[in-house]
Amino acid sequence: MTKKKKWINALIFIGGLIVFLFYYFEDKIDTDVIEEKHEESAEKSTDSIFEVFEKEEFDNIETEQDSALMQ
């Protein structure tokens, strides 16, 4: 291989590496943003679930007893 072809191959490799790194970090940033949105929605949903349980009154629940246990 001539010296000129080696330089061309090196430039193509470096160019491909730069493109790969650009898209890799761009995708990582997008993934981080999406993960933050998922964490926020998870916090909101757990808060709403706890609100439902706080509003319910569990004192009036009647328990059924099995007749076999009554003996």
Side-chain angles (χ1 to χ4, degrees):
M1 218 187 245
T2 64
K3 195 172 192 178
K4 186 177 182 181
K5 286 184 180 179
K6 286 182 182 180
W7 279 105
I8 291 173
N9 284 339
L11 289 175
I12 291 171
F13 175 76
I14 291 172
L17 185 62
I18 290 171
V19 169
F20 170 76
L21 291 175
F22 173 75
Y23 282 112
Y24 174 78
F25 286 116
E26 183 178 323
D27 185 51
K28 178 137 178 69
I29 292 170
D30 292 341
T31 304
D32 292 340
V33 170
I34 292 171
E35 285 178 355
E36 288 176 9
K37 288 180 183 178
H38 283 251
E39 288 175 3
E40 289 173 5
S41 67
E43 290 174 2
K44 288 179 184 177
S45 66
T46 55
D47 291 342
S48 64
I49 291 172
F50 288 128
E51 288 174 3
V52 169
F53 284 121
E54 287 176 359
K55 291 178 183 176
E56 289 291 324
E57 293 182 16
F58 295 106
D59 297 336
N60 297 333
I61 297 176
E62 296 179 11
T63 57
E64 295 181 13
Q65 294 181 351
D66 191 9
S67 61
L69 296 174
M70 298 289 286
Q71 296 174 359

